[in-house]
C-alpha cells in the first residue's frame, strides 16, 4: 500500500444478505461514514455504487492508510446496520 494509489474496492455483506438495500437511511448512513473516515484517513473519494448485497468504491489512498480506513469504516457500518436492519446475526461487510 503506497501513498497516492488509486484503489477500486468491493465489499460484500456476508451470506448475501440485503443489508445494504439502498433506501434513504442506508444511503445517508454510508455517505456520512465515508465522509467521516475518508477525512480521517486522507482518502480522496471518486465514486460509490451501493447495491443491496455489496458496494464498489473508487478512491485515491493519499496517505497509504486504506487498511485502517476499511477496518474502522466496516466496523462502524456493521454496527449501524444492526441498528437500522435489526440484530439478526448481523455481520458487517467484508472485503472480497
Amino acid at each position: 500500500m503506497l501513498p497516492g494509489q488509486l484503489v477500486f474496492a468491493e465489499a460484500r455483506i456476508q451470506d448475501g444478505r440485503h443489508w445494504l438495500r439502498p433506501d434513504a437511511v442506508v444511503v445517508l448512513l454510508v455517505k456520512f461514514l465515508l465522509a467521516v473516515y475518508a477525512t480521517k484517513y486522507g482518502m480522496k473519494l471518486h465514486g460509490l455504487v451501493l447495491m443491496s448485497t455489496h458496494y464498489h468504491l473508487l478512491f485515491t489512498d493519499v496517505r497509504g492508510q486504506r487498511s485502517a480506513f476499511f477496518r474502522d469504516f466496516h466496523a462502524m457500518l456493521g454496527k449501524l446496520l444492526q441498528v437500522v436492519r435489526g440484530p439478526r446475526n448481523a455481520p458487517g461487510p467484508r472485503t472480497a
Side-chain angles (χ1 to χ4, degrees):
M1 291 181 285
L2 300 173
Q5 285 184 318
L6 181 65
V7 178
F8 178 75
E10 174 185 297
R12 297 185 179 277
I13 296 294
Q14 188 175 358
D15 301 328
R17 294 188 176 137
H18 294 263
W19 285 65
L20 287 175
R21 234 176 12 254
D23 55 32
V25 172
V26 171
V27 170
L28 185 62
L29 176 72
V30 170
K31 286 181 177 181
F32 174 76
L33 289 177
L34 280 174
V36 168
Y37 290 110
T39 300
K40 180 177 180 177
Y41 292 107
M43 304 297 165
K44 184 176 178 184
L45 302 177
H46 305 296
L48 168 69
V49 177
L50 184 61
M51 300 172 139
S52 60
T53 59
H54 65 286
Y55 71 83
H56 303 276
L57 182 63
L58 181 64
F59 64 95
T60 299
D61 185 0
V62 177
R63 295 184 287 190
Q65 295 188 349
R66 76 175 144 221
S67 292
F69 166 77
F70 280 125
R71 178 196 64 219
D72 292 351
F73 172 69
H74 286 161
M76 186 57 69
L77 181 59
K79 289 175 187 177
L80 292 176
L81 285 174
Q82 286 181 32
V83 172
V84 172
R85 300 288 187 219
R88 308 171 300 206
N89 301 317
R94 59 187 170 109
T95 303

